[in-house]
Amino acid sequence: PGNTGGGVNEADINLRHAQALKKELESRGAEVTLLETRGSSYVSVTQRAEMGVEEMPHLYIAVHQNSVSNNTSARGVETYYNTPYSQRLAQYINDEMYQAYLTLPYSSGAKDRGAKFSEFAVTRPKQYASVLIEYGFLTNAEEREILTNSQYDSTFAEAVADGIEKFFSGR
């Protein structure tokens, strides 16, 4: 189920956000493949990275929701990368996600946690740009309310797609 917060499973929210992003990217002309990780057997993060390498995409986007068990006030969007090439993608997506948060309820508490280097398995492949996006914190009641409300799925999807477009346009 991934992280949990307020009785919400991260995996359920991740899938919904990934499907909204797929729909948005396809509406802009992209070809999108979702990796199936919710089957009858667990797919490790290493296996997910290997699945990505098999697909040989231009980009690999991992969709996640953050969680901190001992800090219910933690909030904000952050995007992780591992290579210099992926750093630009992470920064563009993170900037667009933060701007999107400023349009949503509780925006006065919106926090830009930035684009950050990581050693996450899914960000390590060097064959393509790859990032892991933390849309917000399920352990923060205000952010959980936004993240679990399907009314905002398109807002997040448009923001990520805008960041991707900026990456490819070289802006």
Side-chain angles (χ1 to χ4, degrees):
N3 294 323
T4 58
V8 176
N9 288 332
E10 177 189 11
D12 298 331
I13 306 305
N14 292 350
L15 179 60
R16 206 182 72 230
H17 285 172
Q19 289 171 334
L21 179 57
K22 180 182 192 295
K23 181 179 176 182
E24 179 63 28
L25 290 171
E26 288 176 340
S27 77
R28 297 181 188 204
E31 183 180 320
V32 180
T33 301
L34 291 181
L35 297 180
E36 180 54 60
T37 62
R38 293 172 51 98
S40 59
S41 60
Y42 176 74
V43 180
S44 73
V45 291
T46 303
Q47 290 170 309
R48 293 172 197 191
E50 290 168 357
M51 292 165 74
V53 170
E54 287 173 17
E55 287 290 324
M56 281 308 294
H58 290 106
L59 302 176
Y60 182 104
I61 309 293
V63 173
H64 288 272
Q65 319 305 310
N66 227 330
S67 178
V68 180
S69 60
N70 61 351
N71 184 355
T72 58
S73 65
R75 64 182 309 164
V77 60
E78 56 193 354
T79 309
Y80 292 93
Y81 65 91
N82 184 272
T83 67
Y85 181 61
S86 298
Q87 182 178 12
R88 282 188 325 108
L89 176 62
Q91 191 62 61
Y92 286 136
I93 289 173
N94 199 83
D95 290 349
E96 293 296 325
M97 285 287 289
Y98 176 67
Q99 291 306 310
Y101 258 97
L102 295 177
T103 70
L104 300 175
Y106 312 114
S107 64
S108 63
K111 189 166 184 177
D112 180 357
R113 298 173 66 91
K116 301 175 178 179
F117 177 83
S118 79
E119 285 292 341
F120 294 132
V122 296
T123 63
R124 285 194 302 251
K126 309 297 188 243
Q127 296 89 334
Y128 45 80
S130 57
V131 296
L132 184 146
I133 306 167
E134 296 282 8
Y135 278 54
F137 283 82
L138 289 177
T139 47
N140 180 292
E142 291 176 344
E143 283 197 353
R144 182 174 56 251
E145 186 176 325
I146 293 167
L147 296 169
T148 58
N149 188 332
S150 61
Q151 149 184 358
Y152 304 119
D153 290 356
S154 62
T155 302
F156 294 126
E158 289 169 15
V160 174
D162 288 347
I164 291 169
E165 279 192 354
K166 284 184 177 180
F167 173 75
F168 280 120
S169 71
R171 289 188 248 162

